[in-house]
Each structure stands twice: as structure tokens, then as C-alpha cells.
Amino acid sequence: MLKLHDLYKIYRTDEVETVALNGVNIEIDQGDFVAIMGPSGCGKSTLLNIIGLLDNPSSGDYFFFDENVAGYNESKRSDIRKRNIGFIFQSFNLIDELNVAENIELALLYQKIPAAERRRRVNEAMDRMGIGHRAKHMPGQLSGGQQQRVAVARAVVVNQSLILADEPTGNLDSAHGQEVMELLRSLNNEGTTIVMVTHSATHADYAKRTVNLFDGHVVTDAMRAA
């Protein structure tokens, strides 16, 4: 599904050159669940941004469903993102002025899907995440765990084949964090490919593989013990 070959990301200013990714090689199969770990500043978020087509590498190849997308402009990357990738962020990224159903529906508005079909899919996603009774609530009326459930629903409502999660439990207490991880495991069991950045070894254990980064290098890539 995804193949990153000899990938580099270098940030340059007039005085400083920072190598965020240094010759990264990773393959991710459809249906995989990968946890990316490592210390702050090791390149985790940079890697996730490139996988999510939010940024381009400085050099190297990135094959997305056998299509080398490494040099694509923003318009081409955006088109692929909208059709294939859902995002879950640590800070939820919900719009305060929209209620739960409207926040989820937002992901469908870019797809030119008829209103009746949008409502059906939003209701289905809310029921799937156990938040149907919160449809008219505003984000400020929800707990952190409920807000992240809305974010997960927004990520899956377009039936994306790939979900990228950047510290999805970072702003949650342990109980709500575990709930979100169980949701991600359930989605993966249904066939969704998940790539997650996390600092938590406990939450990384939900994944099938753990990739450890250090100074922009992949230092280990191991399957979880059965």
C-alpha cells in the first residue's frame, strides 16, 4: 500500500540545515497497524506529514498504491488525501461553532456527496462511535474522550482506506485514551490501515508493528509479539 524508499526531509535556513528524516525505508501493507515511536524531535511528525501527503520529501521515493507521489504539487496531493486518508489529531481539531454532526459532515462536503447520503453516513459514523445521542451538542459540551470520538467519526465517515493518528490519546486521561485505542483496534480489525505516532508504549502495544525513529533514522521495525 505504502512504500517509502531512501526518504530525506531537510529544512534549511540561511544559517542552519536540519535533517528531519535521514534515508528512511518503510513499507506498510494494507490492513497494517503501525505505531511510530521515538524521542521528541526524532522525525515522527515529519514522517506522518509526508505519509499523509501534507508535505513532500526533499528527496527519495514515496509510493502510494504503486504511484510515486513524492514530487506531487499540493493540488495533486490534496486530491489523493481527500479520497484516501483520514486524520486524527491530539488536539481533536473540531470547529467550535459546529455541532457534532456538522463537524463530521464537514469531511463529506469536499466530496460532492448529496445531502441525503451525507446525513445517512454521518448518522452511521456517529452510531458506530457511540455518539449518536450527542449529534446536536457543541464541542465545548463534550468531554475530551467524546471529542476524540467525534474526530475518529470524522476520519472514518468518508470510508478512508488509511487513517493517520498523531498522538490521538495525548490530551486524554488513561480511561478515555484506552477507549480511543480500542476504537482504532476495531477499525483496524475491519480492514482500515492505521499509522499512529505515540509516546506511549502501552498504546503502541495495540499496533501490529512498532517503528522506532532516532535522529531521523529507522532504528528498529518489529512486529508485536503474539
Side-chain angles (χ1 to χ4, degrees), residues 126-178:
M126 289 190 297
D127 289 344
R128 190 177 181 188
M129 296 301 136
I131 51 173
H133 61 299
R134 300 286 189 180
K136 300 300 182 183
H137 285 66
M138 309 303 283
Q141 297 174 295
L142 307 177
S143 69
Q146 290 167 338
Q147 289 187 59
Q148 194 61 295
R149 282 177 175 266
V150 178
V152 175
R154 184 183 57 195
V156 303
V157 73
V158 192
N159 298 323
Q160 309 290 29
S161 56
L162 172 65
I163 288 180
L164 303 181
D166 192 359
E167 295 283 0
T169 62
N171 284 334
L172 304 178
D173 59 36
S174 58
H176 286 123
Q178 185 174 344

Side-chain angles (χ1 to χ4, degrees), residues 27-148:
E27 291 190 35
I28 297 173
D29 295 328
Q30 198 157 2
D32 211 344
F33 188 167
V34 180
I36 300 174
M37 300 189 73
S40 296
C42 72
K44 300 187 301 296
S45 292
T46 299
L47 179 59
L48 204 69
N49 284 341
I50 289 175
I51 291 174
L53 297 170
L54 296 171
D55 198 2
N56 274 338
S58 300
S59 63
D61 297 311
Y62 173 24
F63 292 92
F64 190 95
F65 286 111
D66 298 321
E67 182 178 0
N68 193 346
V69 299
Y72 278 11
N73 61 29
E74 170 55 24
S75 176
K76 285 186 175 182
R77 295 201 312 270
S78 175
D79 183 56
I80 296 172
R81 277 200 310 271
K82 287 187 291 187
R83 289 185 284 110
N84 296 281
I85 305 173
F87 294 88
I88 304 170
F89 301 97
Q90 176 177 345
S91 56
F92 316 136
N93 285 16
L94 302 180
I95 297 176
D96 291 338
E97 294 77 20
L98 300 180
N99 65 32
V100 165
E102 291 166 340
N103 264 284
I104 298 169
E105 185 181 17
L106 199 61
L108 298 170
L109 293 177
Y110 305 108
Q111 305 288 327
K112 298 180 180 178
I113 295 171
E117 174 66 7
R118 291 201 307 270
R119 286 193 295 272
R120 185 191 69 78
R121 288 168 69 166
V122 167
N123 288 334
E124 185 179 89
M126 289 190 297
D127 289 344
R128 190 177 181 188
M129 296 301 136
I131 51 173
H133 61 299
R134 300 286 189 180
K136 300 300 182 183
H137 285 66
M138 309 303 283
Q141 297 174 295
L142 307 177
S143 69
Q146 290 167 338
Q147 289 187 59
Q148 194 61 295

